[in-house]
Amino acid sequence: MSQALLAGLARTTRPQEAVRRFLALDAVVTGANGIAYLTASGPLGELLGVDAGLLLGLGAFLTVFAAGVAWLASRPQPPAAAVKLVVDANALWALLSVVALVAWLEPTAAGLVWTPMQAATVAGFAGLQWAALRAATR
């Protein structure tokens, strides 16, 4: 990803600020998803064709993960190792979402759309965060 494109996406020319902004965006989206799974696991489970208990557990995990990512985003200079951990976790989440879809989930049509869409979103966060971190550590 070019420096100019990254700066445009983050609306800043300071790479460290780009890292923080992409972490903050990740925290907001992940937190919203986690809270939705926590508060509406039953209806969402029916809509997506996913067990409500699984969604409840995922909601708890995502909410805690989002809080950690938000804390990192609030740091003036998030530690590179912690940002790499977030990138790796996001990449793993995206991969496991696709594996789950193929291997053991039996989703509805909505679930067949939602699962790859959220996996692509999370993979996009990983890519943006990684590119911003690389630019910040040059």
Side-chain angles (χ1 to χ4, degrees):
M1 183 170 296
S2 77
Q3 188 76 12
L5 178 59
L6 187 63
L9 288 172
R11 301 211 186 276
T12 181
T13 56
R14 297 187 317 263
Q16 195 63 40
E17 187 64 26
V19 171
R20 294 179 65 223
R21 288 182 182 182
F22 292 138
L23 286 170
L25 180 60
D26 185 357
V28 168
V29 171
T30 300
N33 199 31
I35 290 168
Y37 287 175
L38 277 174
T39 60
S41 59
L44 286 174
E46 288 180 30
L47 175 69
L48 301 173
V50 176
D51 180 69
L54 175 61
L55 285 183
L56 191 62
L58 290 174
F61 170 77
L62 290 174
T63 302
V64 171
F65 182 76
V69 174
W71 181 83
L72 271 179
S74 73
R75 305 294 88 195
Q77 289 194 301
V83 176
K84 287 178 187 175
L85 187 63
V86 170
V87 169
D88 290 345
N90 281 338
L92 183 61
W93 178 274
L95 176 67
L96 289 177
S97 294
V98 174
V99 168
L101 185 63
V102 172
W104 68 80
L105 292 178
E106 296 178 11
T108 61
L112 280 171
V113 172
W114 174 254
T115 304
M117 185 178 73
Q118 65 83 29
T121 301
V122 173
F125 284 143
L128 289 169
Q129 291 159 349
W130 178 249
L133 181 62
R134 286 186 55 208
T137 57
R138 281 188 199 155

PDB file of all heavy atoms in Angstrom, residues 5-19:
ATOM      1  N   LEU A   5      -1.636   6.625  -0.455  1.00  0.00           N
ATOM      2  CA  LEU A   5      -2.945   5.996  -0.273  1.00  0.00           C
ATOM      3  C   LEU A   5      -3.241   5.799   1.211  1.00  0.00           C
ATOM      4  O   LEU A   5      -4.349   6.097   1.679  1.00  0.00           O
ATOM      5  CB  LEU A   5      -3.005   4.652  -0.998  1.00  0.00           C
ATOM      6  CG  LEU A   5      -4.306   3.851  -0.856  1.00  0.00           C
ATOM      7  CD1 LEU A   5      -5.499   4.653  -1.365  1.00  0.00           C
ATOM      8  CD2 LEU A   5      -4.198   2.539  -1.584  1.00  0.00           C
ATOM      9  N   LEU A   6      -2.243   5.341   1.945  1.00  0.00           N
ATOM     10  CA  LEU A   6      -2.408   5.147   3.381  1.00  0.00           C
ATOM     11  C   LEU A   6      -2.723   6.471   4.070  1.00  0.00           C
ATOM     12  O   LEU A   6      -3.619   6.551   4.903  1.00  0.00           O
ATOM     13  CB  LEU A   6      -1.139   4.530   3.968  1.00  0.00           C
ATOM     14  CG  LEU A   6      -1.189   4.099   5.417  1.00  0.00           C
ATOM     15  CD1 LEU A   6      -2.225   3.000   5.607  1.00  0.00           C
ATOM     16  CD2 LEU A   6       0.181   3.620   5.855  1.00  0.00           C
ATOM     17  N   ALA A   7      -2.002   7.524   3.702  1.00  0.00           N
ATOM     18  CA  ALA A   7      -2.241   8.844   4.293  1.00  0.00           C
ATOM     19  C   ALA A   7      -3.648   9.336   3.955  1.00  0.00           C
ATOM     20  O   ALA A   7      -4.327   9.938   4.788  1.00  0.00           O
ATOM     21  CB  ALA A   7      -1.194   9.837   3.798  1.00  0.00           C
ATOM     22  N   GLY A   8      -4.099   9.066   2.745  1.00  0.00           N
ATOM     23  CA  GLY A   8      -5.443   9.477   2.355  1.00  0.00           C
ATOM     24  C   GLY A   8      -6.519   8.737   3.132  1.00  0.00           C
ATOM     25  O   GLY A   8      -7.497   9.327   3.574  1.00  0.00           O
ATOM     26  N   LEU A   9      -6.326   7.423   3.304  1.00  0.00           N
ATOM     27  CA  LEU A   9      -7.300   6.633   4.056  1.00  0.00           C
ATOM     28  C   LEU A   9      -7.360   7.060   5.513  1.00  0.00           C
ATOM     29  O   LEU A   9      -8.429   7.106   6.108  1.00  0.00           O
ATOM     30  CB  LEU A   9      -6.960   5.144   3.974  1.00  0.00           C
ATOM     31  CG  LEU A   9      -7.209   4.471   2.635  1.00  0.00           C
ATOM     32  CD1 LEU A   9      -6.643   3.061   2.639  1.00  0.00           C
ATOM     33  CD2 LEU A   9      -8.695   4.439   2.321  1.00  0.00           C
ATOM     34  N   ALA A  10      -6.204   7.374   6.090  1.00  0.00           N
ATOM     35  CA  ALA A  10      -6.162   7.764   7.504  1.00  0.00           C
ATOM     36  C   ALA A  10      -6.376   9.263   7.684  1.00  0.00           C
ATOM     37  O   ALA A  10      -6.518   9.733   8.797  1.00  0.00           O
ATOM     38  CB  ALA A  10      -4.821   7.366   8.112  1.00  0.00           C
ATOM     39  N   ARG A  11      -6.379  10.002   6.588  1.00  0.00           N
ATOM     40  CA  ARG A  11      -6.538  11.456   6.621  1.00  0.00           C
ATOM     41  C   ARG A  11      -5.481  12.124   7.499  1.00  0.00           C
ATOM     42  O   ARG A  11      -5.748  13.058   8.232  1.00  0.00           O
ATOM     43  CB  ARG A  11      -7.931  11.857   7.063  1.00  0.00           C
ATOM     44  CG  ARG A  11      -9.014  11.307   6.165  1.00  0.00           C
ATOM     45  CD  ARG A  11     -10.193  12.248   6.114  1.00  0.00           C
ATOM     46  NE  ARG A  11     -11.282  11.683   5.370  1.00  0.00           N
ATOM     47  CZ  ARG A  11     -11.405  11.726   4.045  1.00  0.00           C
ATOM     48  NH1 ARG A  11     -10.497  12.295   3.315  1.00  0.00           N
ATOM     49  NH2 ARG A  11     -12.445  11.200   3.451  1.00  0.00           N
ATOM     50  N   THR A  12      -4.261  11.581   7.412  1.00  0.00           N
ATOM     51  CA  THR A  12      -3.128  12.162   8.112  1.00  0.00           C
ATOM     52  C   THR A  12      -1.852  11.771   7.380  1.00  0.00           C
ATOM     53  O   THR A  12      -1.808  10.734   6.728  1.00  0.00           O
ATOM     54  CB  THR A  12      -3.054  11.697   9.579  1.00  0.00           C
ATOM     55  OG1 THR A  12      -1.942  12.328  10.218  1.00  0.00           O
ATOM     56  CG2 THR A  12      -2.905  10.194   9.703  1.00  0.00           C
ATOM     57  N   THR A  13      -0.842  12.586   7.480  1.00  0.00           N
ATOM     58  CA  THR A  13       0.451  12.259   6.889  1.00  0.00           C
ATOM     59  C   THR A  13       1.395  11.693   7.948  1.00  0.00           C
ATOM     60  O   THR A  13       2.521  11.355   7.642  1.00  0.00           O
ATOM     61  CB  THR A  13       1.097  13.504   6.245  1.00  0.00           C
ATOM     62  OG1 THR A  13       1.194  14.529   7.237  1.00  0.00           O
ATOM     63  CG2 THR A  13       0.279  13.985   5.058  1.00  0.00           C
ATOM     64  N   ARG A  14       0.921  11.592   9.195  1.00  0.00           N
ATOM     65  CA  ARG A  14       1.743  11.043  10.283  1.00  0.00           C
ATOM     66  C   ARG A  14       1.405   9.560  10.448  1.00  0.00           C
ATOM     67  O   ARG A  14       0.298   9.222  10.896  1.00  0.00           O
ATOM     68  CB  ARG A  14       1.497  11.813  11.571  1.00  0.00           C
ATOM     69  CG  ARG A  14       1.913  13.285  11.459  1.00  0.00           C
ATOM     70  CD  ARG A  14       1.841  14.023  12.792  1.00  0.00           C
ATOM     71  NE  ARG A  14       0.658  13.746  13.581  1.00  0.00           N
ATOM     72  CZ  ARG A  14      -0.437  14.512  13.602  1.00  0.00           C
ATOM     73  NH1 ARG A  14      -0.482  15.617  12.880  1.00  0.00           N
ATOM     74  NH2 ARG A  14      -1.462  14.196  14.363  1.00  0.00           N
ATOM     75  N   PRO A  15       2.344   8.675  10.104  1.00  0.00           N
ATOM     76  CA  PRO A  15       2.058   7.229  10.160  1.00  0.00           C
ATOM     77  C   PRO A  15       1.605   6.745  11.530  1.00  0.00           C
ATOM     78  O   PRO A  15       0.729   5.884  11.623  1.00  0.00           O
ATOM     79  CB  PRO A  15       3.382   6.582   9.765  1.00  0.00           C
ATOM     80  CG  PRO A  15       4.094   7.630   8.974  1.00  0.00           C
ATOM     81  CD  PRO A  15       3.671   8.947   9.565  1.00  0.00           C
ATOM     82  N   GLN A  16       2.175   7.289  12.603  1.00  0.00           N
ATOM     83  CA  GLN A  16       1.763   6.843  13.943  1.00  0.00           C
ATOM     84  C   GLN A  16       0.295   7.186  14.198  1.00  0.00           C
ATOM     85  O   GLN A  16      -0.428   6.424  14.823  1.00  0.00           O
ATOM     86  CB  GLN A  16       2.663   7.485  15.006  1.00  0.00           C
ATOM     87  CG  GLN A  16       2.568   6.832  16.350  1.00  0.00           C
ATOM     88  CD  GLN A  16       3.021   5.376  16.332  1.00  0.00           C
ATOM     89  OE1 GLN A  16       3.987   5.021  15.672  1.00  0.00           O
ATOM     90  NE2 GLN A  16       2.321   4.532  17.045  1.00  0.00           N
ATOM     91  N   GLU A  17      -0.142   8.326  13.687  1.00  0.00           N
ATOM     92  CA  GLU A  17      -1.555   8.706  13.823  1.00  0.00           C
ATOM     93  C   GLU A  17      -2.435   7.763  12.998  1.00  0.00           C
ATOM     94  O   GLU A  17      -3.547   7.430  13.412  1.00  0.00           O
ATOM     95  CB  GLU A  17      -1.755  10.158  13.389  1.00  0.00           C
ATOM     96  CG  GLU A  17      -3.137  10.693  13.641  1.00  0.00           C
ATOM     97  CD  GLU A  17      -3.518  10.757  15.109  1.00  0.00           C
ATOM     98  OE1 GLU A  17      -2.644  10.856  15.982  1.00  0.00           O
ATOM     99  OE2 GLU A  17      -4.730  10.682  15.394  1.00  0.00           O
ATOM    100  N   ALA A  18      -1.939   7.326  11.847  1.00  0.00           N
ATOM    101  CA  ALA A  18      -2.696   6.369  11.033  1.00  0.00           C
ATOM    102  C   ALA A  18      -2.893   5.058  11.793  1.00  0.00           C
ATOM    103  O   ALA A  18      -3.988   4.481  11.769  1.00  0.00           O
ATOM    104  CB  ALA A  18      -1.986   6.125   9.707  1.00  0.00           C
ATOM    105  N   VAL A  19      -1.846   4.586  12.467  1.00  0.00           N
ATOM    106  CA  VAL A  19      -1.966   3.361  13.264  1.00  0.00           C
ATOM    107  C   VAL A  19      -3.073   3.533  14.294  1.00  0.00           C
ATOM    108  O   VAL A  19      -3.962   2.677  14.425  1.00  0.00           O
ATOM    109  CB  VAL A  19      -0.624   3.030  13.979  1.00  0.00           C
ATOM    110  CG1 VAL A  19      -0.818   1.894  14.973  1.00  0.00           C
ATOM    111  CG2 VAL A  19       0.457   2.681  12.976  1.00  0.00           C
TER     112      VAL A  19
END
